[in-house]
Amino acid sequence: MNAHLTDRGAVVTGWGTALPDRRITNADFEARLDTTDEWITERTGMKVRYHGGTTAGLAIDAGRRAMEMAGLTGTDIDYVLLCTTTPDWHVPASAARVQESLGITGGASDLNAACSGFVYGLVHAHALIGMGLRRILLIGSETLSRITDQEDRNTAILFADGAGAMVIEAVDGPGQLLSFDMGNDGTAIELLYCDIGDHLKMVGKEVFRRAVTVMVESARRSMEQAGVTADDLTLVVPHQANIRIIEAAASRLGLSMESVAVSIHRYGNTSSASIPLALVDAIDEGRVRAGDLVLLVGFGAGMSWASAVLRWPAMDGRTAS
Ligand code: COA
C-alpha cells in the first residue's frame, strides 16, 4: 500500500476549525451525573468540550476558514469530502449543504469511517488528486452530543462536537503523503455502535485495549512504508479518545510525549474532527515546519484504523497544471 500512486501529489494549503458555543466542563457533569472532575481527568484526560450546532454548520465554518487561508473560493474547489459519523440527515449527504453554502461547484459526498474518518478522508483526497482533481476541501465534522445519552456517565463525558478542515491541492511531483495504512475489523462492530435513532453503545474497556493495539500496529506499518523511525517524527497526531490510550500507544512506539499532539483536555473526543483539531493547534503552536515528518493515526468504531506519514509542505501555494 505505498502511497506513490501517481506522479501527481498533493499538499495542504489551508486549514481551519470550528467549535459550537456551548462549553461543557467536567463540573457541569459533576453537577448532574454520578461522576467527578477528578475521575474524568484521571481516567480520560478530558476537561472541557463543546456541544451544539449541526454537522454541516460546523463543517461550513471550518471549511470557509480553510478556503480563506488557501486564498480560494467555492468555484476553485473540485470536491468537498465531509468525514462524519454524525450526518445531519440520512438523505442527502451533509456535504450537500456544505457545497451549497460555500458555493462549491464540484462534487460533494460524506465519508463515514467513524473516528478514523479524517485519515481515511486524507487518503481518499490524495487518491482523487492522483486521478486528476486539483483542489479538495477535506473536512472532519461531528455533533456526537446528539447521539450520546447525556444521562449515561460512561459515554456522556467522552463525546463532543467540533470540526476541522483542510484544503488539499495538487502539485507536480510526489507531494506530502509518504505512506498510509487503512483497515477495519467488522467483528468488533458491537464494541461501539449507534443504531439509527438511538444512542451510542460502548464496551469501553475492550475498545481501550484494542485501540492501543491497532494504533501501534497501523503506525508501525505507515512508518515502515515511509522508511522512517519514531525518532524521525517531529509531530504525531493521534485520535483524541483517552489520554491513557495515547500515552500507552506512544510508549509502545517509542515516542516521547513531547512529539505527540494532545488536545483532549480542550475538546474531548470529537471523532473525525479530533485529528484536524489537534493538528491545527499544533501548527498554531509552531510545532511543525516545512520538511518535518508528521504521523497521523486514528482508530474508532468499525473497528477502523488509519495512519499516514506526511512530509509537511512549504506553504508556497504551488498548484499543478
Ligand atoms: N465517573 C465515575 N465513574 C465512572 C464513570 C464516570 N464518568 N464512567 C464509568 N465509571 C465507573 C464504571 O461504572 C466502573 O464502576 P464499577 O467498577 O462500579 O462497575 C468504574 O468506573 C470503572 O470503569 P471502567 O470501565 O473499568 O473504567 P476505565 O478505566 O476503563 O475507563 C473509559 C472507562 C470509558 C474512560 C475507558 O475504558 C475508555 O476510554 N475506553 C475507550 C473508549 C473510547 O476510546 N471510545 C471511543 C473510541 S473512538
Side-chain angles (χ1 to χ4, degrees):
M1 265 207 284
N2 200 290
H4 292 122
L5 301 171
T6 69
D7 289 336
R8 188 180 160 89
V11 294
V12 55
T13 58
W15 50 82
T17 62
L19 294 166
D21 294 337
R22 206 141 46 88
R23 184 174 182 272
I24 313 283
T25 64
N26 291 350
D28 293 322
F29 289 116
E30 215 169 35
R32 60 180 187 79
L33 295 176
D34 182 14
T35 190
T36 60
D37 172 42
E38 190 186 9
W39 193 97
I40 299 170
T41 306
E42 273 178 16
R43 306 310 291 165
T44 73
M46 295 175 186
K47 289 298 238 180
V48 175
R49 71 289 283 149
Y50 295 84
H51 289 180
T54 63
T55 291
L58 293 167
I60 289 163
D61 290 346
R64 184 179 288 116
R65 287 174 188 137
M67 283 164 56
E68 275 168 14
M69 180 177 167
L72 301 175
T73 62
T75 53
D76 299 317
I77 302 289
D78 295 325
Y79 202 97
V80 55
L81 185 55
L82 173 56
C83 309
T84 186
T85 200
T86 49
D88 292 328
W89 322 280
H90 296 308
V91 180
S94 301
R97 177 63 72 211
V98 181
Q99 174 269 315
E100 176 263 337
S101 178
L102 296 179
I104 290 168
T105 43
S109 69
D110 291 359
L111 183 157
N112 181 358
C115 305
S116 309
F118 192 81
V119 185
Y120 264 75
L122 186 78
V123 175
H124 282 66
H126 282 77
L128 288 169
I129 282 174
M131 293 170 74
L133 297 194
R134 285 163 57 90
R135 300 186 185 99
I136 298 191
L137 180 61
L138 172 68
I139 311 174
S141 182
E142 303 283 4
T143 45
L144 290 158
S145 67
R146 296 196 295 190
I147 61 160
T148 307
D149 180 355
Q150 296 300 330
E151 303 307 314
D152 174 15
R153 70 176 184 176
N154 291 291
T155 52
I157 58 159
L158 301 175
F159 297 106
D161 308 339
M166 300 216 150
V167 172
I168 313 278
E169 296 197 48
V171 287
D172 294 318
Q176 65 189 2
L177 186 66
L178 303 188
S179 65
F180 65 89
D181 176 68
M182 293 185 288
N184 194 79
D185 174 9
T187 66
I189 287 174
E190 279 71 26
L191 296 181
L192 180 53
Y193 69 96
C194 180
D195 278 329
I196 289 169
D198 202 356
H199 290 131
L200 278 165
K201 305 278 188 305
M202 182 178 75
V203 186
K205 256 199 183 340
E206 187 58 13
V207 172
F208 189 116
R209 197 183 65 75
R210 293 191 191 212
V212 176
T213 305
V214 299
M215 275 176 95
V216 168
E217 289 175 353
S218 183
R220 281 200 182 123
R221 282 192 289 271
S222 281
M223 284 158 61
E224 195 181 316
Q225 283 164 34
V228 305
T229 67
D231 290 342
D232 299 325
L233 299 168
T234 300
L235 183 69
V236 177
V237 188
H239 171 47
Q240 312 278 312
N242 187 315
I243 188 66
R244 293 182 294 132
I245 293 177
I246 295 172
E247 286 169 351
S251 155
R252 288 199 204 170
L253 288 166
L255 294 165
S256 147
M257 281 304 286
E258 272 168 32
S259 66
V260 178
V262 175
S263 60
I264 195 164
H265 51 296
R266 295 188 197 124
Y267 312 124
N269 181 347
T270 57
S271 191
S272 61
S274 92
I275 287 181
L277 281 170
L279 175 56
V280 169
D281 279 4
I283 296 167
D284 289 347
E285 289 158 12
R287 293 175 65 183
V288 57
R289 296 202 181 84
D292 285 347
L293 291 169
V294 178
L295 168 69
L296 311 182
V297 55
F299 68 91
M303 182 171 216
S304 62
W305 58 86
S307 58
V309 175
L310 307 178
R311 186 174 294 285
W312 197 252
M315 291 294 142
D316 59 4
R318 287 171 309 142
T319 303
S321 45

